Amino acid sequence: MNTTKIPIFDEPIRLAYNMYIDYYARNGYDALKYRCDAMLVTLLSAQNIRLDNFPFKKENFCGMLVLDEYETTIVYNSNHSPERRNFTIAHELGHYFLHRNKQSQFVDRADNMLDNTINEFELQANAFAAELLLPESVINLMIGYRYSFFKIARSIRASYECLRWRLVSYLMTKYSLGRKDSINIVDAYRADSDRKIHLDSVFFKIIFPGTKIYKVINGDLVEFSPITNKAVGITPIIRKRIDYLDSFSLKQDFALNRKVELT
């Protein structure tokens, strides 16, 4: 999800981050041991929200939030994986904290939780959920320890899709990269992690450039000399490690259309 410089995301991200601080960091807990499922249980208990589940037959039905004069209830689809359920619960909590004074029932299907949804309430609930499940402080630390894509997801108990979009947003926000380049870099990081060569990933070169200067140009990572500011090397971001990423529509030829001359 692209949360870069969009005012409607300011409140949900700030609110979720403050909850991480209040309920986790301020208690002195180790950020490397952060688990989003434990945070969800803490918030549900603190707000006295009843959690229920049902094996809905429709795969695209994720969950709902119902508020009335007697209680507040979040229902999730028990047929979904635990990681996917976590995002649903966090999404419904987003509606609770941000929108409960505007309507009393929220029914969420898979298309509400896609990055390209145009519904403002759903966008805000997604932004809240992403920050709550994957707080920036936790992401910063795990990246600092050079965790693989899968180790981050496994440690936090987040789904791969949730982590993917969270890291895309991270690159766009912190490093001012475009959406397409950010998606390519994160997907290459995932592919590198799958092959256990993530330490050499473009993802880490962007975040930890050292004395080198890197820019993303035409789908490639271009290294520039810090002295002459001229290009001295090109690394295709995706390379040839995208066999299993068919669904991401990333099969493009990054070996063509080079517009950077090497010195």
Side-chain angles (χ1 to χ4, degrees), residues 1-4 13 87 110 113-117 126-127 129-131 134 139 149 153 158-173 178-184 186-187 189-190 203 247-250:
M1 162 186 324
N2 176 12
T3 58
T4 309
I13 290 174
F87 188 84
M113 300 185 183
L114 294 175
D115 183 60
N116 60 357
T117 183
N126 281 346
E131 180 65 36
L134 297 150
I139 293 293
F149 179 95
S159 70
Y160 296 155
E161 190 68 3
C162 176
L163 176 58
R164 179 183 185 236
W165 288 114
R166 183 68 181 88
L167 293 179
V168 168
S169 174
Y170 183 88
L171 291 178
M172 294 178 69
T173 303
R179 174 187 169 89
K180 181 179 178 181
D181 286 329
S182 297
I183 290 173
N184 288 342
V186 171
D187 286 339
Y189 170 49
R190 175 175 174 173
F203 181 80
S247 61
F248 297 154
S249 300
L250 290 174

Side-chain angles (χ1 to χ4, degrees), residues 116-128:
N116 60 357
T117 183
I118 60 173
N119 183 293
E120 182 173 314
F121 281 5
E122 301 306 330
L123 286 169
Q124 289 186 318
N126 281 346
F128 175 91

Side-chain angles (χ1 to χ4, degrees), residues 19-255:
M19 288 180 181
Y20 163 74
I21 295 297
D22 292 342
Y23 289 96
Y24 195 85
R26 192 164 287 159
N27 290 318
Y29 299 141
D30 185 352
L32 287 177
K33 296 180 179 179
Y34 179 79
R35 286 182 46 167
C36 65
D37 51 355
M39 173 60 81
L40 295 175
V41 170
T42 298
L43 290 179
L44 290 168
S45 176
Q47 298 298 318
N48 196 30
I49 298 174
R50 180 170 173 263
L51 185 64
D52 204 351
N53 67 83
F54 188 82
F56 295 100
K57 293 181 180 179
K58 292 187 176 181
E59 170 67 17
N60 74 332
F61 186 91
C62 297
M64 60 192 300
L65 169 69
V66 180
L67 304 103
D68 59 34
E69 63 269 31
Y70 301 107
E71 64 181 1
T72 299
T73 305
I74 289 176
V75 183
Y76 63 85
N77 191 339
S78 59
N79 287 328
H80 290 170
S81 68
E83 293 80 11
R84 189 172 176 185
R85 296 175 205 166
N86 288 340
F87 188 84
T88 297
I89 295 168
H91 181 95
E92 303 306 335
L93 281 171
H95 283 313
Y96 173 77
F97 287 112
L98 295 160
H99 310 133
R100 67 177 182 266
N101 295 326
K102 298 174 183 177
Q103 60 187 70
S104 59
Q105 182 171 305
F106 299 85
V107 178
D108 290 299
R109 295 174 174 81
D111 54 354
N112 299 135
M113 300 185 183
L114 294 175
D115 183 60
N116 60 357
T117 183
I118 60 173
N119 183 293
E120 182 173 314
F121 281 5
E122 301 306 330
L123 286 169
Q124 289 186 318
N126 281 346
F128 175 91
E131 180 65 36
L132 184 67
L133 298 183
L134 297 150
E136 185 169 320
S137 295
V138 175
I139 293 293
N140 284 338
L141 192 58
M142 290 185 174
I143 289 174
Y145 277 92
R146 308 312 199 266
Y147 277 21
S148 73
F149 179 95
F150 301 105
K151 186 172 182 179
I152 294 176
R154 187 171 60 250
S155 299
I156 298 178
R157 306 299 196 273
S159 70
Y160 296 155
E161 190 68 3
C162 176
L163 176 58
R164 179 183 185 236
W165 288 114
R166 183 68 181 88
L167 293 179
V168 168
S169 174
Y170 183 88
L171 291 178
M172 294 178 69
T173 303
K174 292 183 70 71
Y175 298 93
S176 301
L177 295 178
R179 174 187 169 89
K180 181 179 178 181
D181 286 329
S182 297
I183 290 173
N184 288 342
I185 290 168
V186 171
D187 286 339
Y189 170 49
R190 175 175 174 173
D192 288 340
S193 296
D194 191 44
R195 295 186 61 185
K196 296 180 172 55
I197 55 172
H198 62 281
L199 294 179
D200 191 42
S201 174
V202 170
F203 181 80
F204 287 128
K205 290 181 179 179
I206 288 287
I207 295 174
F208 306 110
T211 58
K212 298 179 180 179
I213 299 173
Y214 291 106
K215 296 180 183 178
V216 178
I217 301 175
N218 300 325
D220 295 315
L221 186 73
V222 181
E223 179 186 339
F224 287 81
S225 165
I227 299 174
T228 65
N229 201 32
K230 292 183 178 180
V232 294
I234 294 178
T235 304
I237 290 174
I238 301 297
R239 284 173 272 186
K240 297 180 180 179
R241 297 193 289 273
I242 57 174
D243 313 19
Y244 72 98
L245 297 176
D246 291 347
S247 61
F248 297 154
S249 300
L250 290 174
K251 289 194 171 180
Q252 303 173 36
D253 184 359
F254 289 94

